[in-house]
């Protein structure tokens, strides 16, 4: 009970600080609402924005910021309801562009972004698809991530093993992992240490490394029954169920650890030595740096993959609400997100990748943060891979809920309910059914869907004939890059 009162008191204090820092001036100055949630990091960012406006001359006659930002908390569902009903904040954070933009609730910022260097292609080329819908830009990134495997270097040194390579195949992952768990569990009555934490999210990158993706080229149909997905799921299941390189669901559930970190239980377990590596990005340091223990040395490796190297690229986006009465002011906030001041704030806090990588590329404080030398190549590698091999997940306009059917398939296999082939077929059929329902119920999608299906027939014909495919036909960012690298495109 005492702890509950302390938590409530802390939240009330935080809310008070937010109110004080984000209040409008006493003369009734303009205030924009940013639905970004309440946290110490967001408070710092709002305060930095107000100072940036003063520094850049965006002030009123009293020398105060031209307007102020006020934070509000809201999840995607409540934000969408507010937007549709005409009650959303001026700036919407954590916005899934491909879900919100088709509903007409986001402001089109394409021209503004191009004129002011906010075009995502100028920064992270692969981020373009995360910020756009139908060739138009509706958001700008607050931060990004290209997660891979963060390794505890001290554990490998302890067991007299080489640190994992930056690139490796699934077979190399198995070989190194088996040797690791043999040494780490030697003399113990039961297995206490694992090579990696649970990471079913690796199934998609492994399948992609063999040339397949969740959707076809036009995003009109799923491809989860492709042999590449069957092989990828079997590989991961083998690591868990047969080789025990990775804990199963029961072993994960049995762990008792602090669940307050951004990576749930995995960060304490990485530090404690239960896991040699976890799936994460540089944002993990927001937790690691808070630990009151001797820091561990780190290194960053790609997921084990085959020929086509890839990582999944994600971004936290902010968009302007189309119904905002202060759109021109809101655009100033987007300029701040690309500014040196905001990006250096993210670089110092390690809160993901900065939205404007030019402030990180040749910046020693990004690559080797003073006082945090033990973080190794994490910063350098994630930035490099984000700009070269990272790709967003393919999202179909005909499957708006974007439920993770790959995880669904794996859980069926892990629970002994289905074979990999059966589980993936069930997952695939579920997406097909959802697409059919969506197209039937949304009149505006029907003609477009029929056109894309006809286009898919042409693509399939070209592939069968060994002809190069016109780049303009391909809607899926994965296939666009894959075919380009394989010299299969007609540019």
């Amino acid at each position: 009970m005492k702890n509950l009162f302390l938590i409530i008191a802390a939240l009330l204090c935080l809310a008070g600080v937010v109110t004080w820092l984000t209040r409008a001036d006493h003369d009734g100055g303009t205030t924009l609402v940013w639905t970004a949630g309440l946290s110490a990091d967001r408070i710092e960012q709002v305060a930095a924005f107000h100072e940036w406006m003063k520094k850049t001359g965006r002030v009123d006659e009293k020398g105060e910021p031209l307007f102020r930002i006020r934070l509000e908390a809201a999840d995607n569902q409540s934000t969408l309801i507010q937007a549709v009903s005409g009650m959303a904040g001026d700036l919407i954070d954590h916005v899934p562009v491909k879900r919100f933009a088709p509903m007409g609730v986001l402001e089109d910022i394409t021209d503004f972004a191009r004129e002011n260097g906010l075009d995502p292609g100028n920064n992270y080329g692969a981020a373009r698809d995360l910020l756009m819908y139908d060739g138009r830009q509706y958001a700008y990134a607050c931060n990004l991530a290209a997660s891979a495997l963060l390794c505890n270097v001290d554990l490998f040194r302890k067991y007299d093993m080489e640190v994992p390579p930056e690139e490796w195949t699934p077979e190399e992952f198995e070989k190194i992992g088996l040797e690791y768990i043999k040494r780490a569990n030697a003399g113990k009555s039961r297995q206490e240490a694992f090579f990696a934490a649970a990471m079913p999210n690796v199934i998609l990158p492994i399948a992609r490394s063999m040339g397949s993706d969740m959707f076809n080229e036009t995003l009109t149909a799923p491809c989860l029954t492709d042999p590449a997905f069957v092989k990828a799921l079997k590989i991961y299941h083998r690591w868990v169920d047969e080789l025990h390189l990775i804990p199963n669901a029961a072993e994960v559930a049995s762990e008792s650890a602090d669940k307050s970190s951004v990576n749930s239980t995995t960060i304490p377990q990485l530090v404690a030595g239960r896991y040699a590596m976890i799936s994460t990005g540089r944002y993990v340091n927001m937790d690691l740096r808070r630990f009151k223990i001797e820091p561990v040395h780190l290194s960053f490796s790609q997921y084990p993959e085959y020929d086509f190297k890839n990582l999944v690229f994600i971004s936290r986006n902010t968009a302007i609400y189309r119904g905002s009465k202060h759109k021109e002011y809101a655009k100033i906030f987007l300029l701040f997100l690309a500014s040196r001041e905001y990006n250096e704030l993210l670089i110092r806090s390690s809160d993901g990748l900065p939205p404007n990588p030019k402030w990180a590329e040749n910046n020693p404080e990004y690559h080797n943060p003073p006082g945090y030398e033990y973080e190794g190549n994490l910063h350098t590698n994630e930035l490099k891979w984000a700009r070269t091999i990272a790709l967003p997940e393919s999202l179909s306009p005909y499957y708006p809920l974007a439920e993770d059917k790959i995880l669904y398939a794996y859980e069926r296999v892990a629970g002994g309910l289905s074979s990999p082939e059966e589980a993936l077929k069930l997952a695939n059929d579920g997406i097909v059914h959802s697409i059919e329902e969506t197209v039937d119920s949304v009149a505006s999608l029907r003609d477009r869907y029929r056109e894309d299906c006809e286009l898919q027939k042409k693509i399939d014909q070209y592939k069968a004939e060994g002809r190069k495919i016109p780049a303009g036909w391909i809607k899926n960012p994965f296939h666009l890059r894959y075919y380009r690298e394989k010299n299969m495109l007609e540019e």
Side-chain angles (χ1 to χ4, degrees):
M1 184 63 71
K2 179 181 178 182
N3 288 338
L4 177 60
F5 283 131
L6 289 173
I7 291 171
I8 294 172
L11 289 173
L12 289 172
C13 288
L14 179 61
V17 172
V18 171
T19 301
W20 186 83
L21 286 173
T22 62
R23 74 193 189 285
D25 61 48
H26 295 295
D27 294 330
T30 302
T31 297
L32 272 65
V33 172
W34 184 25
T35 53
L38 305 180
S39 69
D41 299 302
R42 300 294 171 267
I43 292 171
E44 184 180 14
Q45 290 163 12
V46 168
F49 173 63
H50 293 156
E51 290 303 312
W52 174 81
M53 281 203 292
K54 290 182 180 180
K55 180 180 177 180
T56 57
R58 294 176 169 91
V59 294
D60 59 18
E61 64 278 3
K62 297 180 182 179
E64 291 298 313
L66 198 58
F67 63 96
R68 291 185 178 273
I69 294 290
R70 175 164 57 84
L71 288 167
E72 280 191 3
D75 57 31
N76 277 337
Q77 193 61 37
S78 62
T79 298
L80 182 57
I81 293 171
Q82 291 171 352
V84 172
S85 63
M87 300 294 290
D90 302 278
L91 292 155
I92 305 174
D93 196 48
H94 292 280
V95 62
V97 171
K98 285 184 170 52
R99 185 180 179 193
F100 279 38
M103 298 183 182
V105 298
L106 303 182
E107 180 73 3
D108 185 332
I109 63 167
T110 307
D111 296 336
F112 171 79
R114 188 179 300 119
E115 292 165 3
N116 290 277
L118 305 185
D119 178 352
N122 290 337
N123 300 323
Y124 301 93
R128 180 185 300 274
D129 195 63
L130 295 165
L131 308 176
M132 304 184 78
Y133 174 75
D134 255 2
R136 306 296 292 178
Q137 185 173 345
Y138 290 91
Y140 191 70
C142 295
N143 55 11
L144 306 100
S147 295
L149 292 175
L150 184 70
C151 308
N152 183 333
V153 171
D154 296 331
L155 293 176
F156 288 90
R157 291 173 179 168
K158 177 181 178 180
Y159 300 118
D160 196 27
M161 293 182 66
E162 293 290 327
V163 176
E166 292 186 5
E167 295 183 12
W168 45 355
T169 64
E171 289 74 23
E172 290 168 333
F173 178 87
E174 279 191 18
K175 182 179 179 181
I176 296 171
L178 286 169
E179 183 61 25
Y180 177 86
I181 62 171
K182 184 177 80 172
R183 298 189 188 192
N185 292 289
K188 298 175 182 177
S189 58
R190 63 183 180 85
Q191 182 172 349
E192 297 177 6
F194 294 88
F195 193 44
M199 52 176 191
N201 57 305
V202 77
I203 295 171
L204 175 61
I206 293 176
R208 281 180 157 185
S209 74
M210 293 182 278
S212 189
D213 189 46
M214 184 170 172
F215 288 99
N216 62 11
E217 292 85 350
T218 57
L219 303 170
T220 51
C223 301
L224 293 183
T225 55
D226 187 277
F229 276 100
V230 175
K231 182 175 181 178
L233 196 157
K234 285 182 176 179
I235 286 172
Y236 183 72
H237 185 55
R238 168 180 161 84
W239 292 345
V240 176
D241 190 64
E242 183 179 337
L243 303 182
H244 303 291
L245 303 179
I246 295 169
N248 59 33
E251 290 162 332
V252 170
S254 70
E255 295 165 359
S256 58
D258 178 15
K259 297 179 182 290
S260 63
S261 73
V262 295
N263 286 275
S264 184
T265 63
T266 61
I267 294 177
Q269 301 290 11
L270 176 76
V271 174
R274 181 171 173 83
Y275 300 144
M277 62 189 72
I278 63 175
S279 173
T280 187
R282 73 184 293 267
Y283 58 84
V284 72
N285 291 319
M286 298 181 73
D287 281 333
L288 282 174
R289 292 177 182 180
R290 297 186 181 119
F291 282 16
K292 305 301 181 183
I293 59 173
E294 189 70 21
V296 298
H297 292 84
L298 306 171
S299 70
F300 206 46
S301 297
Q302 294 175 24
Y303 294 125
E305 297 174 352
Y306 293 108
D307 180 52
F308 183 74
K309 305 303 180 186
N310 69 95
L311 296 176
V312 174
F313 206 20
I314 61 173
S315 63
R316 188 189 117 235
N317 307 322
T318 282
I320 299 172
Y321 174 47
R322 190 175 180 183
S324 169
K325 297 178 181 178
H326 308 291
K327 295 176 187 176
E328 294 308 310
Y329 281 171
K331 289 177 182 178
I332 294 175
F333 185 77
L334 299 186
L335 294 176
F336 170 66
L337 296 179
S339 72
R340 179 172 185 164
E341 288 79 1
Y342 177 81
N343 282 264
E344 288 188 344
L345 193 63
L346 259 67
I347 289 169
R348 289 193 299 273
S349 67
S350 198
D351 187 6
L353 294 168
N356 193 341
K358 77 175 184 179
W359 303 118
E361 279 181 324
N362 300 311
N363 185 347
E365 292 193 8
Y366 171 83
H367 294 280
N368 300 288
Y372 300 105
E373 291 76 13
Y374 55 85
E375 290 171 358
N377 60 13
L378 168 59
H379 308 278
T380 297
N381 279 358
E382 186 170 4
L383 181 66
K384 175 178 64 178
W385 295 337
R387 304 198 75 186
T388 53
I389 66 171
L391 286 164
E393 289 189 51
S394 55
L395 298 174
S396 171
Y398 312 113
Y399 184 58
L401 294 181
E403 184 182 354
D404 190 346
K405 288 295 187 178
I406 298 175
L407 179 60
Y408 162 82
Y410 168 67
E411 289 176 342
R412 288 193 64 86
V413 174
L417 301 175
S418 303
S419 68
E421 292 85 352
E422 292 168 341
L424 287 166
K425 186 177 187 307
L426 284 171
N428 204 81
D429 289 348
I431 296 175
V432 169
H433 178 70
S434 180
I435 288 175
E436 290 173 349
E437 284 195 328
T438 299
V439 173
D440 284 343
S441 60
V442 183
S444 60
L445 288 178
R446 291 173 196 158
D447 289 343
R448 176 176 172 177
Y449 178 72
R450 282 193 292 268
E451 290 171 2
D452 282 344
C453 286
E454 289 301 314
L455 186 58
Q456 186 63 46
K457 291 178 182 178
K458 292 182 181 179
I459 292 172
D460 293 340
Q461 180 181 347
Y462 272 47
K463 287 165 63 177
E465 296 171 356
R467 299 168 62 183
K468 290 189 175 183
I469 304 164
W473 290 3
I474 297 178
K475 312 293 179 67
N476 185 326
F478 164 79
H479 288 296
L480 195 60
R481 202 192 101 198
Y482 182 79
Y483 291 157
R484 181 170 286 124
E485 289 197 11
K486 298 298 180 181
N487 196 29
M488 296 169 60
L489 278 189
E490 180 184 295
E491 302 283 3

